[in-house]
Amino acid sequence: MKQHRFNHWSEIKYLKDIVANPMIEVGEYSYYSGYYDNHDFEDGCVRYLWGDEKSRRLFNPIKDYGWVLDKLIIGNYVCIASGVVILMGGNHNHHPEWITVYPFVEQIEFSYVPKGDTIIESDAWIGMNAMIMPGVKIGEGAIVAAGSVVVKEVPPYTIVGGNPAKEIKKRFADKEIEKLQEMRWFDWEREKIERAGPILSSSSIDLLYEFYQREIKP
């Protein structure tokens, strides 16, 4: 695998430029800032994900066993900080309801249980050293505080933190969140986003909604 090391903490890497695993879907302008962790995104941040070059060569769970494999789906303008760990489905062979949690090779065919796709929606920010457990969905505009362990779905525009991560607060009022979910600014054409940049970098959702009604909404 090609290495993508960081030279300075201020450096970011756009995921579109570095992701090769077909089990990872990435939107536009989403980035990884991994200087302090000093790992590749696919080989350090994302763990236990089938579909990389080596796992395709050594073991084909779809062909050999008919497994339904989990994907990592990342939206547009997602920010992923250094030290983040996204756990995926390659390690789903331990059963607490069985007598042993040991994954005997002879039982591998039957032991795998998919957790579902892990989804990080657009404009989410995943803080340093946070861990996202398999099958979790992070809503659009959500913030995961540094060091958190996310074990369940995070609603849109919500800040969560802790282990396990719990809601700290909503970023905006409910009606404002409804407007943001209607506008979906991160799906606009880049030229429109650049024109709206000063508003996006403010707290005025009403001004953004005026722009949306004037420039975007049919």
Side-chain angles (χ1 to χ4, degrees):
M1 178 185 292
K2 184 178 179 181
Q3 300 296 298
H4 302 280
R5 299 303 182 189
F6 292 81
N7 297 312
H8 189 263
W9 61 263
S10 63
E11 182 182 9
I12 64 171
K13 295 190 181 296
Y14 288 112
L15 298 180
K16 277 279 192 178
D17 297 334
I18 62 176
V19 164
N21 193 319
M23 302 303 289
I24 303 177
E25 299 178 9
V26 180
E28 300 294 333
Y29 297 100
S30 293
Y31 72 76
Y32 176 50
S33 177
Y35 172 74
Y36 289 111
D37 198 39
N38 202 29
H39 284 299
D40 294 331
F41 178 75
E42 292 182 359
D43 198 32
C45 179
V46 184
R47 304 185 183 183
Y48 301 111
L49 177 65
W50 295 109
D52 62 284
E53 182 179 351
K54 190 169 185 179
S55 71
R56 290 198 305 269
R57 186 169 66 249
L58 296 179
F59 182 65
N60 190 330
I62 299 177
K63 181 179 178 181
D64 295 342
Y65 298 130
W67 290 356
V68 177
L69 298 179
D70 305 332
K71 291 183 178 182
L72 173 60
I73 301 172
I74 300 173
N76 302 326
Y77 297 91
V78 170
C79 312
I80 300 178
S82 186
V84 167
V85 172
I86 303 172
L87 292 183
M88 297 300 299
N91 201 32
H92 298 167
N93 299 95
H94 306 271
H95 286 258
E97 75 278 12
W98 290 3
I99 294 172
T100 180
V101 295
Y102 189 86
F104 288 106
V105 173
E106 295 81 4
Q107 302 301 320
I108 288 294
E109 178 179 357
F110 311 104
S111 65
Y112 176 78
V113 177
K115 298 289 187 179
D117 296 335
T118 298
I119 302 172
I120 306 175
E121 293 191 328
S122 297
D123 195 31
W125 175 21
I126 314 301
M128 183 175 286
N129 295 326
M131 178 179 289
I132 300 174
M133 299 302 286
V136 165
K137 178 180 178 181
I138 310 294
E140 64 184 68
I143 297 174
V144 176
S148 301
V149 178
V150 185
V151 300
K152 63 181 181 179
E153 181 173 345
V154 178
Y157 296 96
T158 300
I159 302 173
V160 300
N163 180 8
K166 297 180 180 179
E167 180 175 326
I168 297 173
K169 68 176 183 176
K170 299 284 189 183
R171 292 180 57 195
F172 307 104
D174 289 342
K175 289 186 177 180
E176 292 177 318
I177 292 175
E178 288 177 6
K179 285 184 177 180
L180 288 167
Q181 291 183 290
E182 177 188 344
M183 291 186 285
R184 297 182 61 82
W185 69 263
F186 37 75
D187 291 336
W188 299 352
E189 294 179 0
R190 179 68 179 187
E191 181 270 335
K192 299 288 188 181
I193 291 175
E194 290 176 353
R195 287 176 54 194
I199 307 175
L200 288 167
S201 299
S202 75
S203 300
S204 183
I205 295 173
D206 287 339
L207 278 181
L208 185 65
Y209 197 72
E210 290 176 7
F211 180 92
Y212 165 73
Q213 290 181 310
R214 183 176 65 251
E215 302 287 342
I216 308 297
K217 191 174 182 180

